[in-house]
Amino acid sequence: MKAITLKLMNRNISLPRLNSVIILVALFLTISCREKKTEKSSDTVDQRVDSVLALMTLEEKIGQLTLYTSDYDVTGPSIRENYKDDIKAGRVGAIFNAFGASYTRKLQEIAVKETRLGIPLIFGYDVIHGHRTIFPISLGEAASWDLKAIEQSARIAAEEASAEGLHWTFAPMCDIARDPRWGRISEGSGEDTYLGSMIAVARVKGFQGEGIGKLNSVMACVKHFAAYGAAQAGRDYHTVDISDRTLREIYLPPYKAAIDAGAATVMTSFNELDGIPATGSKYLMTDILRKEWGFTGFVVTDYTSIMEMIPHGIAEDTASAAALAIEAGVDMDMQAGFYNDALLNLVKQGKVKEDLIQAAVRRILRKKFELGLFDDPYRYCNEEREKSTVMKPDFLNAARDVSRKSIVLLKNETNVLPLNKNLKRVAVIGPLAEARNELIGSWSAAGDWKKSVTLLEGIRAAAPSSMQVVYEKGCNINDDSTRNFSKAVQVARQADVVIVAVGEAASMTGEASSRASLNLPGVQQKLIEEIQKTGKPVVVVLMNGRPLTIPWLDKNVSAILETWFLGTQSGHAIADVLFGAYNPSGKLPVTFPKSIGQVPLYYGMKNTGRPMDPNNKYTSKYLDETNDPLYPFGYGLSYTTFSYGDITLSKNRISTSGELVVTCAVTNTGKVSGEEVVQLYLRDRVGSVTRPVKELKGFQKISLEPGETKQIEFKLTNADLSFYRRDMSFGSEPGMFDVFVGGNSRDTKTISFELTN
Ligand code: NOJ
């Protein structure tokens, strides 16, 4: 057969003559659109996608559905030879774990110059809480309840990542998590659907900035769809079995909010849901995501989750797993290689419709066009820009600011904090005081732990010259050696105040890091018990990625600061709080239980038919523990105090079309200025299905000078009163509602109103 030769992305392409007329038209569209770079209407992109699709063989289309990892080691990213061969052979549409302007350029060159069609690659990476400048872990950042700061941290991450050749981050993680045994609770926004949804939106806005295709933006990826956080017993990758009502009411809204905010992509989850692994679930990937929610981006698997459908016991081999996934609506296969291995034969045998593959490729190519990669595949590979962007002083300052906003003051007896500047000697003790390598937490992307500021360094930098700062490690994070206890106790004895930094290793949270105990690991509590005996005031600085069971600390030490893993600027941010340069304002995004036997414990529980009564054995409670948390959701102290006035309502009765204004006066009753997160909760007293005892429906972070009062207003509409009713329709029901306003989910003022038809 005679062939004609055409040029696409500067590549000579040989094409069979039969198709040449169609192809010439297609190429004309592609090339003419390339000239009008600013024209980004959806029609234009669709036409351009079609023009490329018309050139592709089925094998090349399947190749576009594949995402492989490059190798990554301490000296920087590299790629295995066979992945380069796969790229050359057109068997890869995207690469992850490769970053850096020059490195991504090299890989892009293989795709653009050495494949038949020269279709550019997408580069993805886990940019979870910062890229080079590392911000607090996501759970910690959620404790700031500061949506602007959270958006800004995602924005900075996107600036850095895109300057290093990346187009796509695997974030935000929108999984609601109510079981602190699950290590990945650290990667999300905690237990609450409303807060989680607001934060999901802030993160998508931050990552995608002014839109995909802007040079400083990256595509967001909403993960892990769906309900990964409901893994039974908090064990990672474990079974999820929840009702459709709970799925829709508690777990789905944050993913949906992120998609409504324009998130470009979605990642499936590892877990099964009602007997079907998410990656093979048409209900999730097509019915809910695309049909109900109108999602138009592409769906990628979480890692080898197509392959994992074999051990799940729902597919017997590569082909059946690949068929399940593509039929469910999953567009891109991360790392399993099952699409590459099986889809061609499945189509040839008539077992999978080619249309499904066509639709998946179209979604992926669309994003490549929107990213501008067909206009210039190297547009994100600018070494100059990379140099001037990464870890800029502005970014470090922003990280310090959001880090200190994320710190939660859990206890401050006799106002030991902020530290008195006249103290002569401060002892800094504990395995996390100098543990530079732990501070950036899990999923710290391309963050360089060597660049983070330790607590000891932060304290030394902030302490006045008259204050002596002495250090002793005392013990390790997680072993049973008490060998160095005596040295630590000696140092404590000579100090005016002892700051003890304890908690978890970064690797004890994140993926595959479930714990069966929530206690401080190793002998850390024992160390504090010994120090406590000196009678010196003890300030505990916690670094950890999940709620810990610390009732002994709460009872015995003078002050406790929850600092999570704060990232690059950890030490400075904590010192700002310790010395009062910043008045803590963080509030817990997750309940802290007293003991592990209470788990799962969250504020938005149901009342049950036998609510807890201390005087009645036959009520819902434990014989050996109370039902109360150690620290409730939304809790956090300040160096000042706030008082809440009575709540007033604009009306006592509203109709479904009405609006209710809830007002509450909040006063700073202390001596220093401070910020407070004013929280509004609702309870629907009687419904056609039972309702939680409290649901967060609004919050405002405000700042008050000493003595200042602000009238805080919240507006409630029918949407805030709606839920999945008995027949699963979404809407409200007439009746009485309680409104609660306060500084945490437990200590609130209350009032009620009626909703009429
Ligand atoms: C597996 C994790 O579950 C997911 O969150 C992550 O994005 C991918 N691996 C890629 O690293």
Side-chain angles (χ1 to χ4, degrees):
M1 195 194 301
K2 275 195 173 178
I4 60 164
T5 302
L6 293 171
K7 267 190 151 205
L8 173 64
M9 304 289 305
N10 292 326
R11 300 273 305 113
N12 291 327
I13 310 160
S14 293
L15 301 159
R17 212 171 230 291
L18 264 183
N19 293 332
S20 58
V21 176
I22 305 169
I23 288 158
L24 276 170
V25 172
L27 279 176
F28 169 74
L29 283 170
T30 300
I31 291 158
S32 64
C33 291
R34 191 186 305 167
E35 272 149 21
K36 293 183 221 154
K37 283 188 188 168
T38 48
E39 199 173 288
K40 288 273 189 279
S41 86
S42 58
D43 273 346
T44 309
V45 172
D46 279 341
Q47 285 170 347
R48 298 179 78 188
V49 168
D50 284 341
S51 70
V52 176
L53 271 170
L55 305 175
M56 297 173 77
T57 64
L58 182 57
E59 285 90 331
E60 283 164 340
K61 288 179 188 168
I62 293 168
Q64 286 299 306
L65 310 188
T66 297
L67 166 66
Y68 282 140
T69 178
S70 76
D71 283 340
Y72 181 78
D73 62 26
V74 282
T75 56
S78 66
I79 192 162
R80 284 190 216 119
E81 277 313 303
N82 57 331
Y83 291 122
K84 283 186 184 157
D85 293 344
D86 282 324
I87 298 174
K88 266 184 218 164
R91 285 198 298 268
V92 186
I95 287 287
F96 71 117
N97 287 343
F99 63 87
S102 83
Y103 189 65
T104 51
R105 176 183 288 272
K106 273 189 203 130
L107 297 182
Q108 193 67 292
E109 272 170 2
I110 304 177
V112 170
K113 296 188 180 156
E114 297 184 48
T115 66
R116 193 180 73 93
L117 293 178
I119 298 176
L121 296 165
I122 294 177
F123 290 100
Y125 199 68
D126 285 284
V127 180
I128 308 296
H129 53 109
H131 179 59
R132 291 290 198 174
T133 306
I134 300 298
F135 287 78
I137 57 165
S138 306
L139 184 68
E141 209 176 64
S144 72
W145 295 55
D146 188 328
L147 299 173
K148 284 217 174 80
I150 292 171
E151 182 179 331
Q152 196 198 16
S153 108
R155 182 88 290 282
I156 290 171
E159 293 257 4
E160 290 188 337
S162 59
E164 294 223 284
L166 293 168
H167 315 128
W168 185 23
T169 173
F170 303 137
M173 181 176 116
C174 302
D175 304 319
I176 294 300
R178 297 179 158 188
D179 191 328
R181 291 173 293 186
W182 192 51
R184 304 200 77 171
I185 197 170
S186 61
E187 295 176 53
S189 303
E191 74 185 43
D192 186 65
T193 305
Y194 180 85
L195 179 63
S197 301
M198 304 296 276
I199 292 177
V201 170
R203 291 197 168 126
V204 170
K205 280 199 208 155
F207 287 132
Q208 297 194 167
E210 285 172 21
I212 298 167
K214 294 279 177 228
L215 269 184
N216 62 357
S217 293
V218 290
M219 297 192 293
C221 183
V222 176
K223 71 186 191 185
H224 305 84
F225 194 64
Y228 183 34
Q232 285 177 359
R235 180 150 61 80
D236 208 3
Y237 318 119
H238 202 5
T239 308
V240 170
D241 195 1
I242 53 177
S243 68
D244 205 43
R245 189 182 307 285
T246 299
L247 173 72
R248 286 176 179 275
E249 195 161 302
I250 307 297
Y251 290 91
L252 292 189
Y255 309 112
K256 165 97 170 29
I259 285 157
D260 289 347
T265 70
V266 167
M267 186 186 289
T268 70
S269 56
F270 286 128
N271 56 283
E272 69 161 72
L273 185 64
D274 193 18
I276 306 190
T279 302
S281 171
K282 200 170 184 179
Y283 176 57
L284 286 175
M285 304 307 155
T286 300
D287 298 348
I288 295 184
L289 189 59
R290 298 194 195 285
K291 293 192 182 154
E292 279 184 39
W293 297 356
F295 173 67
T296 56
F298 71 81
V299 175
V300 63
T301 65
D302 191 358
Y303 217 71
T304 49
S305 61
I306 297 188
M307 185 178 83
E308 292 167 34
M309 288 200 280
I310 297 174
H312 265 296
I314 198 152
E316 58 185 1
D317 54 20
T318 306
S320 51
L324 259 179
I326 195 84
E327 274 161 10
V330 171
D331 304 308
M332 191 181 268
D333 169 3
M334 186 196 295
Q335 200 56 20
F338 273 31
Y339 277 3
N340 265 339
D341 290 346
L343 284 185
L344 187 63
N345 276 340
L346 285 167
V347 173
K348 281 189 182 154
Q349 293 162 2
K351 290 183 181 159
V352 160
K353 290 205 184 92
E354 194 172 341
D355 283 2
L356 289 178
I357 290 161
Q358 184 87 352
V361 187
R362 177 172 272 120
R363 293 181 194 121
I364 292 164
L365 291 181
R366 229 175 176 284
K367 292 302 166 208
K368 293 191 176 186
F369 272 108
E370 287 173 15
L371 284 163
L373 295 176
F374 279 98
D375 296 321
D376 174 5
Y378 310 108
R379 60 199 296 262
Y380 299 83
C381 308
N382 177 338
E383 286 178 63
E384 287 300 300
R385 183 184 152 213
E386 178 175 39
K387 258 189 238 136
S388 61
T389 304
V390 163
M391 293 189 95
K392 284 209 278 226
D394 280 0
F395 293 174
L396 293 174
N397 289 340
R400 180 169 177 165
D401 190 46
V402 69
S403 295
R404 55 196 203 169
K405 286 178 169 154
S406 305
I407 295 172
V408 185
L409 179 63
L410 297 175
K411 182 178 182 189
N412 193 17
E413 206 175 69
T414 62
N415 292 335
V416 61
L417 291 179
L419 295 173
N420 184 328
K421 296 244 166 71
N422 299 323
L423 295 173
K424 292 266 166 313
R425 187 182 287 199
V426 170
V428 181
I429 295 174
L432 281 149
E434 262 213 314
R436 198 183 306 283
N437 56 334
E438 307 293 351
L439 303 174
I440 56 176
S442 73
W443 288 122
S444 26
D448 179 355
W449 61 265
K450 293 184 213 84
K451 296 201 169 125
S452 38
V453 180
T454 68
L455 175 62
L456 186 60
E457 287 166 347
I459 291 176
R460 288 209 159 119
S465 53
S466 57
M467 189 185 284
Q468 202 189 343
V469 179
V470 283
Y471 164 73
E472 189 58 52
K473 185 172 174 193
C475 67
N476 290 324
I477 296 172
N478 194 16
D479 65 27
D480 54 9
S481 170
T482 56
R483 210 179 40 229
N484 293 320
F485 273 23
S486 54
K487 282 197 231 160
V489 170
Q490 217 175 334
V491 164
R493 252 192 220 115
Q494 290 156 12
D496 303 314
V497 162
V498 188
I499 297 165
V500 195
V502 290
E504 299 180 294
S507 61
M508 295 174 91
T509 61
E511 190 178 347
S513 301
S514 294
R515 290 185 63 200
S517 157
L518 299 177
N519 292 341
L520 276 176
V523 292
Q524 296 179 97
Q525 185 175 311
K526 276 197 189 143
L527 172 69
I528 304 173
E529 287 171 17
E530 292 307 311
I531 293 169
Q532 181 69 12
K533 289 180 193 156
T534 63
K536 303 287 177 171
V538 175
V539 175
V540 171
V541 173
L542 289 172
M543 298 185 190
N544 50 295
R546 54 156 66 78
L548 296 175
T549 43
I550 46 167
W552 187 90
L553 293 186
D554 181 62
K555 198 160 168 230
N556 293 286
V557 303
S558 304
I560 307 174
L561 277 185
E562 174 54 79
T563 75
W564 321 101
F565 294 110
L566 291 177
T568 310
Q569 291 287 294
S570 289
H572 289 320
I574 302 170
D576 284 344
V577 169
L578 288 172
F579 288 99
Y582 182 78
N583 184 356
S585 63
K587 301 275 187 172
L588 294 177
V590 63
T591 303
F592 272 46
K594 285 181 183 159
S595 54
I596 196 154
Q598 295 177 305
V599 166
L601 183 66
Y602 48 93
Y603 82 91
M605 290 212 148
K606 302 287 186 79
N607 202 37
T608 82
R610 294 187 180 197
M612 206 273 293
D613 173 354
N615 302 316
N616 184 348
K617 176 169 188 214
Y618 294 96
T619 57
S620 184
K621 60 184 180 182
Y622 303 98
L623 292 176
D624 50 358
E625 182 62 276
T626 69
N627 286 3
D628 316 320
L630 183 65
Y631 305 117
F633 174 83
Y635 173 84
L637 303 172
S638 162
Y639 294 154
T640 188
T641 44
F642 300 100
S643 81
Y644 283 73
D646 288 336
I647 307 172
T648 57
L649 300 178
S650 55
K651 302 169 195 145
N652 294 327
R653 187 173 293 147
I654 57 160
S655 69
T656 47
S657 58
E659 183 186 87
L660 183 71
V661 182
V662 179
T663 310
C664 184
V666 184
T667 306
N668 180 344
T669 47
K671 293 196 178 65
V672 289
S673 60
E675 291 161 280
E676 169 71 330
V677 181
V678 183
Q679 301 157 43
L680 178 138
Y681 299 84
L682 273 189
R683 178 175 184 180
D684 184 348
R685 281 198 207 154
V686 178
S688 58
V689 292
T690 58
R691 306 295 304 134
V693 292
K694 266 178 195 166
E695 284 180 280
L696 183 72
K697 291 291 176 183
F699 63 87
Q700 289 178 40
K701 190 159 187 171
I702 58 162
S703 172
L704 290 172
E705 294 304 317
E708 187 184 355
T709 298
K710 275 188 182 153
Q711 299 290 336
I712 307 304
E713 271 187 16
F714 294 95
K715 290 195 174 82
L716 293 175
T717 64
N718 194 47
D720 301 302
L721 314 179
S722 297
F723 62 99
Y724 288 91
R725 295 174 288 205
R726 174 86 62 110
D727 63 358
M728 288 304 282
S729 62
F730 188 74
S732 62
E733 289 174 346
M736 293 303 294
F737 286 78
D738 297 321
V739 183
F740 309 86
V741 178
N744 64 65
S745 60
R746 182 189 58 201
D747 308 311
T748 51
K749 296 273 183 166
T750 181
I751 195 166
S752 44
F753 70 93
E754 188 182 356
L755 175 71
T756 59
N757 268 327

